[in-house]
Structure formats: structure tokens, C-alpha cells
């Protein structure tokens, strides 16, 4: 039986994708090998690679003047690569620090250039995103970095910064689950393991003009140009996530693409927030209502003991991965792309039954 996997990452993947990968594991496309044993220079792998690149473009709707890169090292390496590649001159990079990930992005940029917090929600416990007018962008900034969905705090950006400075966005935990206003961005990135594929890489969308503009003195792998020039085949690529992501993206496309995924995500989140709001305060979501994440729903119970009991009993019932991040405690249900509405329904029923049992 498949678990109802609410884990914050890696994510649950479509069962039919896993079954297809299983069926192809001993003999991919008549090669007598699995896809991960093929040469990355073989025609069979090349076809997989190009198809995943094509699907990434078509599902995301990214314009032609952006390169699409598959880079190992997850979103974390991008925290460093972005300032390394973009802050070559003496212009600063601004950061909206809206949670644990925004904080890490800024901290990891510090060694590579002049960076500053354009807004910081730490003092407020990261309960919400800034109003656009609260973000203080320094004149001449090279970019403004945002985290559109903070995975740990469970908040999403609804109103985007009001600035002429190009945006750079970490979209890891809602990747391809909402449209992107590409005109406003120089770079959009995310680890694929939150919504789209097994762990092992980030997808980076980078405006091609950035590649020529910045001529930094970096080793090959650290330069965006290296990946763009080679279609991300400059060295041995992360073949397994690329292969699985191709299958996942073809499902997402067949099911209506980003717009449909956005709608399905909102429906799943609504069902859960409704269960929280209708619980007479037994379950509480600490986030400003406007900024509630559609992907990571955080909630508290009246006591830490009840929270521990909730996780233990939920696990027994096949509801996995509900413990909140260790830095904040509480509970968190992540509703990534392949998690079904039915799984959310099972969780809602469990929550109702748990509350009844706890409050008699
Ligand atoms: C998980 C996550 C990261 C870190 O991703 P890795 O791929 O593990 O490096 C960064 N940003 C956000 C918003 C995340 O959710």
C-alpha cells in the first residue's frame, strides 16, 4: 500500500511514474540496461535529456531568452552560484528575508559580494510576507532575491516587490505550481525534489543576457555559461532525476500544466485550512491569512504532547511526514504536486477524529 506522504521533501511522486520506471529499470528502450547505466553521451540518454529540457520549457512557459539549466547541488548551491555569477561588479544584491530559506540565501551570498537584507521578518517570527512598500531596495542593486514560498514557515508571496531591479526567485517548494511573470526576473531556481522529481539537482532558468554580461573568474561548474553552452551536458548530468522529471512533467502537462496544478494546489490547501479554521481553535495556523502557503500547511495543537501523539497516530494510519521542521516544531503537511486530493481528505478525516477523541 502506498503511504500518504506529506513530507516536506523529497516529495511523493506519481505512482504510475514509479511503476513505469520500475518496468524500464532492467531494459530501457531495448538497450538491455537501465537508464542510469547508459552513457550520458548515448543517443538513448540524449533523447531523454532533450525531452526533459523541452518539457521544462513548455510546462514553465519560459521565454526563449532564458536558458534552462540542470545543475547538481540543489537549491543550496544556487545560494552561492547566484552571487558568484551575478555580483561580478560592485553592485549589491538585495534579499527579502522571509524565513529560514531566505536567511540561508543571504548568509551564503555574503562571502561572494556585497549583499543586504531589503526586508527581514525574523523579529516577527516569519509569520507573513512583506507588503511591497516595506521592501527597501538600495539604488543600483544588481538584483532583489525573494523566496516565493517559505517551506518551513508555511508562507507564500502573494504581492510581489514593487521595484525596477530584476528579481531572482527561489521557488523550490512551489516549483511550476504557479505562473511566473518572466519579464520581472533575471533568474528563477529551485531544487526539484519538492514538487517534480527525486533529489539531485536544481532547475535554473536564467536570462541569457546575464550569461554574457557577467564574465566572472570561476571554475567551469560554477559558471552558468558552462551549463548553458552544453545543454547541461558539460559533465555527467544527474541522469536519474532528469529521467524521472521528464515523466512527471509529461503528466503535469497532460493534466493542464501550471494553471491546473495551481488550481489543484489551492483546492488541497483550502480543504486543510478549512479543517483547521473550523476546529474551534484545537488546530491553529499561525500565519497571516493572506500569506498562507498552498504547498506547506503548518499547524499547532494545544500542547506539545498532543502534537507528538498526533504524529504517532497519524504515522500508524499511513499518514507520513507530518512533523514540523525541527527549528519551529508543530506540524506541517506538505501538499506537493503528486499528493492527491484524496490523501488530503484522509488527513482531514483523521484530524476530525483525533480532535474528537482528544476533547471528550
Ligand atoms: C528545500 C529548500 C531549499 C534547499 O534545497 P536543497 O535542494 O536541499 O538544497 C531551498 N529553498 C527552499 C525554499 C526550499 O524549500
Amino acid at each position: 500500500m502506498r503511504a500518504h506522504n506529506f513530507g516536506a521533501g523529497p516529495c511523493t511522486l506519481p505512482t504510475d511514474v514509479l511503476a513505469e520506471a520500475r518496468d524500464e529499470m532492467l531494459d530501457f528502450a531495448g538497450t538491455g540496461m537501465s537508464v542510469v547505466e547508459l552513457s550520458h553521451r548515448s543517443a538513448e540518454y540524449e533523447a531523454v535529456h532533450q525531452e526533459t529540457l523541452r518539457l521544462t520549457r513548455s510546462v514553465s512557459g519560459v521565454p526563449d531568452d532564458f536558458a534552462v539549466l540542470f545543475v547538481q547541488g540543489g537549491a543550496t548551491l544556487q545560494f552561492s552560484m547566484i552571487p558568484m555569477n551575478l555580483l561580478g561588479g560592485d553592485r549589491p544584491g538585495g534579499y527579502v528575508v522571509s524565513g529560514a530559506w531566505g536567511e540561508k540565501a543571504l548568509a551564503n551570498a555574503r562571502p561572494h559580494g556585497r549583499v543586504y537584507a531589503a526586508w527581514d521578518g525574523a523579529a516577527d517570527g516569519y509569520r507573513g510576507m512583506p507588503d511591497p512598500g516595506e521592501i527597501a531596495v538600495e539604488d543600483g542593486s544588481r538584483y532583489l532575491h525573494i523566496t516565493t514560498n517559505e517551506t518551513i514557515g508555511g508562507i507564500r508571496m502573494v504581492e510581489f516587490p514593487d521595484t525596477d531591479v530584476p528579481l531572482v526567485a527561489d521557488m523550490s517548494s512551489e516549483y511550476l505550481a504557479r505562473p511566473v511573470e518572466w519579464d520581472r526576473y533575471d533568474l528563477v531556481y529551485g531544487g526539484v525534489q519538492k514538487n517534480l522529481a527525486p533529489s539531485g539537482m536544481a532547475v535554473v532558468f536564467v536570462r541569457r543576457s546575464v550569461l554574457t554580461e557577467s564574465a566572472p573568474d570561476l571554475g567551469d561548474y560554477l559558471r552558468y555559461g558552462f551549463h548553458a553552452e552544453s545543454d547541461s551536458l558539460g559533465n555527467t548530468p544527474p541522469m536519474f532525476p532528469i529521467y524521472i522529471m521528464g515523466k512527471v512533467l509529461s503528466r503535469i502537462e497532460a493534466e493542464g500544466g501550471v494553471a491546473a496544478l495551481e488550481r489543484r494546489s489551492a483546492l488541497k490547501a483550502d480543504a486543510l485550512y478549512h479543517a483547521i479554521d473550523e476546529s474551534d481553535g484545537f488546530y491553529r495556523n499561525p500565519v497571516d491569512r493572506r500569506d498562507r502557503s498552498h504547498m506547506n500547511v503548518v499547524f499547532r495543537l494545544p500542547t506539545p504532547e498532543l502534537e507528538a501523539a498526533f504524529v504517532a497516530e497519524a504515522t500508524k494510519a499511513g499518514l507520513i511526514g507530518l512533523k514540523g521542521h525541527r527549528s519551529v516544531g508543530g506540524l506541517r503537511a506538505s501538499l506537493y504536486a503528486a499528493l492527491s486530493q484524496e490523501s488530503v481528505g484522509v488527513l482531514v478525516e483523521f484530524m476530525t477524529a483525533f480532535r474528537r477523541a482528544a476533547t471528550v
Side-chain angles (χ1 to χ4, degrees):
M1 200 193 85
R2 296 271 294 156
H4 301 286
N5 181 358
F6 295 92
C11 62
T12 189
L13 291 168
T15 305
D16 65 328
V17 166
L18 297 174
E20 204 175 284
R22 176 199 60 204
D23 292 345
E24 292 174 349
M25 193 48 89
L26 298 186
D27 183 6
F28 175 75
T31 58
M33 291 183 264
S34 68
V35 74
V36 289
E37 296 167 297
L38 296 175
S39 162
H40 60 292
R41 306 290 176 206
S42 65
E44 291 86 358
Y45 177 72
E46 178 79 18
V48 169
H49 193 90
Q50 293 301 337
E51 176 64 0
T52 304
L53 276 172
R54 188 193 68 73
L55 281 161
T56 308
R57 281 199 173 275
S58 68
V59 172
S60 66
V62 69
D64 286 342
D65 56 339
F66 279 75
V68 176
L69 318 178
F70 300 150
V71 187
Q72 303 194 36
T76 299
L77 180 59
Q78 294 311 307
F79 295 162
S80 300
M81 273 178 82
I82 288 163
M84 285 172 135
N85 281 270
L86 273 61
L87 294 182
D90 54 7
R91 296 163 69 193
Y95 283 74
V96 174
V97 183
S98 51
W101 290 115
E103 212 178 288
K104 283 212 169 75
L106 174 59
N108 280 278
R110 285 199 192 285
H112 305 293
R114 190 155 74 78
V115 290
Y116 64 93
W119 184 83
D120 193 327
D124 202 26
Y126 296 133
R127 278 188 302 108
M129 288 285 180
D131 292 328
E134 295 174 339
I135 302 169
V137 182
E138 284 181 23
D139 284 345
S141 292
R142 173 63 189 83
Y143 60 77
L144 178 68
H145 181 284
I146 58 176
T147 310
T148 63
N149 185 75
E150 283 282 359
T151 320
I152 294 174
I155 59 176
R156 78 195 280 255
M157 195 169 268
V158 181
E159 291 184 55
F160 287 81
D162 178 18
T163 173
D164 293 335
V165 168
L167 299 176
V168 168
D170 176 0
M171 296 192 73
S172 295
S173 46
E174 57 174 7
Y175 223 8
L176 303 187
R178 74 191 293 186
V180 175
E181 239 187 292
W182 294 103
D183 284 0
R184 304 205 54 200
Y185 292 86
D186 265 3
L187 191 147
V188 171
Y189 70 103
V192 295
Q193 76 279 10
K194 300 282 166 61
N195 229 6
L196 301 172
S199 65
M201 67 174 191
V203 172
V204 179
F205 298 97
V206 57
R207 191 175 285 284
R208 291 189 203 276
S209 59
V210 170
L211 303 173
T212 49
E213 213 175 83
S214 67
D217 185 12
L218 295 170
D220 283 344
Y221 205 86
L222 299 172
R223 269 191 312 117
Y224 288 125
F226 172 74
H227 301 281
E229 287 148 19
S230 63
D231 272 352
S232 301
L233 278 163
N235 74 330
T236 319
M239 293 162 69
F240 192 66
I242 290 169
Y243 160 71
I244 297 287
M245 191 169 83
K247 294 181 186 299
V248 172
L249 290 174
S250 71
R251 266 65 170 186
I252 291 176
E253 187 164 72
E255 287 164 5
V258 169
L261 184 50
E262 185 182 36
R263 278 196 302 277
R264 286 200 301 280
S265 301
L267 284 176
K268 287 188 280 183
D270 278 353
L272 205 42
Y273 287 120
H274 185 77
I276 292 167
D277 294 340
E278 300 297 305
S279 70
D280 291 329
F282 184 78
Y283 300 110
R284 279 171 301 115
N285 170 267
V287 168
D288 296 342
R289 214 166 253 265
R290 176 196 68 175
D291 299 336
R292 285 174 160 185
S293 171
H294 289 184
M295 306 308 281
N296 311 98
V297 177
V298 296
F299 55 103
R300 309 293 314 221
L301 274 68
T303 65
E305 292 72 26
L306 278 169
E307 288 174 345
F310 183 98
V311 172
E313 287 184 33
T315 304
K316 267 193 241 156
L319 300 156
I320 306 303
L322 287 163
K323 198 168 169 10
H325 192 268
R326 60 189 184 280
S327 63
V328 293
L331 292 125
R332 171 175 54 172
S334 296
L335 315 175
Y336 293 132
L339 184 93
S340 66
Q341 181 85 43
E342 184 210 337
S343 287
V344 176
V346 174
L347 174 58
V348 166
E349 271 174 41
F350 176 86
M351 287 168 71
T352 307
F354 186 90
R355 172 162 72 99
R356 254 192 227 117
T359 51
V360 284

